[in-house]
Amino acid sequence: MDEVLRDILRKNKYFEEINENRFIPEFLGLIVNGVVVYHVNWIDIIEKEVIFMHKDIQTHPIASLVLENLNSLMIITNDGIKEVI
């Protein structure tokens, strides 16, 4: 699942790949499994987990999820909500 998510984010125009495990969303608002998560500065994919981080809180994630439980990911853009997964 981690390789699938990496591939999806690499191909999505709203995400920039920084390295194999880190992606920066173009917009700071995401919807993860139906829950709005704001101020996501980057996403890390580490050991079957997706971690949503904020630049001012680097000691712990603002949200994290085991990859097998990730059912949907959307991004809130200027043009509305766009589906990623």
Side-chain angles (χ1 to χ4, degrees):
M1 178 65 177
D2 55 338
E3 286 302 321
V4 172
L5 180 58
R6 284 183 185 96
D7 192 46
I8 290 170
L9 294 178
R10 279 184 192 116
K11 293 177 181 176
N12 191 290
K13 68 179 183 176
Y14 297 112
F15 291 86
E16 177 186 352
E17 182 177 16
I18 299 304
N19 62 45
E20 181 182 358
N21 297 316
R22 181 165 288 175
F23 296 85
I24 296 178
E26 182 179 344
F27 300 94
L28 300 181
L30 300 175
I31 302 173
V32 182
N33 288 357
V35 178
V36 176
V37 182
Y38 280 114
H39 304 294
V40 177
N41 292 106
W42 71 87
I43 297 171
D44 285 336
I45 303 169
I46 302 172
E47 298 180 15
K48 299 181 183 176
E49 185 176 13
V50 61
I51 300 171
F52 303 91
M53 299 293 294
H54 184 275
K55 64 182 170 81
D56 294 332
I57 311 170
Q58 295 185 23
T59 56
H60 60 276
I62 55 175
S64 67
L65 188 67
V66 175
L67 281 173
E68 67 184 33
N69 294 327
L70 180 62
N71 298 317
S72 68
L73 177 64
M74 296 180 269
I75 188 164
I76 303 168
T77 71
N78 292 335
D79 298 323
I81 297 170
K82 305 295 182 183
E83 185 175 13
V84 178
I85 297 176

